[in-house]
Amino acid sequence: GFINLNKAAGMTSHDAVNLVRKIFQTRKVGHSGTLDPAATGVLPIAVGQATKFIEYLAECDKTYRAEILFGVETDSGDVTGQVIRSENFKMPALSELQAAAKNFTGQIEQTPPKFSAIKINGRKAYDLARKNIDFEMPRRIVTISRFEILSAAENFITAEVDCSKGTYVRSLSEDFGAAFNLPATLKSLQRIRVGNFNIENAVTIDALKSLGEGALKPVDACIDFESFNLPPRRLKAYCNGLPTNISHADATVKVYCDGKFLGVGKITRGELRAEKLLQYENLS
């Protein structure tokens, strides 16, 4: 199953995976959607056969709560980096900030930070950046469905962002500051949602040690596809990779038989085939 982990600050996503491996005493553990060490919040962790289904979480929209600090620019795009520019300024009014935020919704173009895991000619960008190697980051199109300014303090704002995969809130912070001709950097970041995983139900590593398997969520509750009920007479054929002819539009579906979740199937041109299967004992 999946664990809705509330990652602590200072922990890498790989650190979290290693801790879960120790708790469950298995190497078969993975995560979806890397969080920077300084960031906190929702990190979906897959244990056992659930690792087969991690790829389906990659496309999920995410929600972040961010604090954006004005008047400071760093080389990493957040407060863990070296300050490369600072300015005295007067904080814009909350109404101005909220009006400007509307210009950052929809499909927007952004440049990811150089201190990121994006690969440049086969090498991770942050490795090149740490060695002071000059390179250009490719710009990308991302979708921001909500950028809401919740409050404004003397030199920073608190905002929530609903966004597509591949969005860098560090880049959004810098671009938002630039809209006011000000340097800006990410002060703090908490991921509060990944698809069906919400911060309200997330567990800490300490809580996980006590809960153990009680913290595992069933795979089918964590992936957001339409359900399809397979006729029992087609069970063996389906599990052996054979197609089942059906009248249904092309789709990716969660496949069930007699109430048991089998895995994920793909419907193409009227044929259903297994794409990812859970392995059961004595399945007939």
Side-chain angles (χ1 to χ4, degrees):
F2 282 96
I3 298 164
N4 183 8
L5 186 71
N6 187 352
K7 189 189 84 66
M11 177 190 297
T12 68
S13 298
H14 188 65
D15 289 339
V17 165
N18 283 336
L19 287 167
V20 174
R21 282 174 175 159
K22 291 177 182 177
I23 292 169
F24 286 86
Q25 297 185 337
T26 178
R27 295 289 302 171
K28 208 167 186 180
V29 177
H31 71 82
S32 174
T34 300
L35 273 177
D36 291 336
T40 65
V42 173
L43 180 67
I45 302 275
V47 179
Q49 291 193 65
T51 54
K52 298 179 184 179
F53 300 86
I54 288 176
E55 64 182 87
Y56 301 116
L57 299 185
E59 301 299 321
C60 291
D61 286 353
K62 301 170 177 65
T63 300
Y64 293 91
R65 184 171 292 130
E67 291 181 333
I68 300 173
L69 179 66
F70 285 82
V72 175
E73 181 182 354
T74 68
D75 58 1
S76 65
D78 62 18
V79 293
T80 67
Q82 297 293 317
V83 175
I84 55 178
R85 179 185 167 202
S86 63
E87 284 186 16
N88 293 321
F89 69 99
K90 180 182 178 182
M91 191 70 173
L94 180 59
S95 58
E96 293 179 272
L97 295 162
Q98 291 171 332
K102 295 177 182 178
N103 297 322
F104 289 84
T105 57
Q107 286 194 327
I108 68 168
E109 189 177 54
Q110 66 173 203
T111 303
K114 288 191 172 183
F115 283 85
S116 65
I118 292 173
K119 289 194 174 179
I120 306 295
N121 297 323
R123 299 178 66 183
K124 290 182 177 178
Y126 60 69
D127 287 333
L128 299 174
R130 286 167 182 160
K131 293 177 181 177
N132 294 318
I133 297 174
D134 189 38
F135 63 97
E136 290 293 323
M137 290 296 292
R139 292 181 68 78
R140 57 170 60 179
I141 300 294
V142 298
T143 301
I144 296 178
S145 53
R146 180 175 67 103
F147 182 22
E148 182 179 359
I149 311 301
L150 302 178
S151 63
E154 184 179 355
N155 62 351
F156 73 92
I157 62 171
T158 301
E160 283 190 4
V161 182
D162 294 336
C163 57
S164 65
K165 72 169 187 174
T167 302
Y168 278 88
V169 184
R170 282 181 285 158
S171 297
L172 177 62
S173 300
E174 292 179 335
D175 292 344
F176 190 60
F180 294 93
N181 295 315
L182 290 172
T185 196
L186 188 63
K187 183 173 184 280
S188 70
L189 185 67
Q190 180 187 39
R191 189 157 66 192
I192 59 177
R193 183 184 64 86
V194 176
N196 294 333
F197 296 78
N198 292 287
I199 192 67
E200 292 83 7
N201 310 118
V203 298
T204 64
I205 283 290
D206 286 341
L208 184 60
K209 292 174 182 177
S210 302
L211 290 167
E213 291 186 3
L216 291 174
K217 295 177 173 289
V219 171
D220 55 327
C222 300
I223 52 178
D224 197 15
F225 297 131
E226 176 188 352
S227 298
F228 179 84
N229 292 307
L230 182 76
R233 59 183 174 78
R234 295 298 302 166
L235 177 59
K236 185 175 180 180
Y238 177 81
C239 292
N240 286 331
L242 298 175
T244 296
N245 293 322
I246 59 172
S247 178
H248 196 290
D250 289 2
T252 301
V253 293
K254 296 186 288 189
V255 180
Y256 296 82
C257 186
D258 283 339
K260 187 182 287 289
F261 174 61
L262 302 180
V264 172
K266 196 91 168 180
I267 301 172
T268 308
R269 295 187 294 275
E271 286 189 347
L272 169 68
R273 290 180 184 268
E275 188 170 82
K276 300 284 183 181
L277 276 173
L278 282 177
Q279 299 298 317
Y280 290 101
E281 293 182 6
N282 303 320
L283 186 63
S284 59

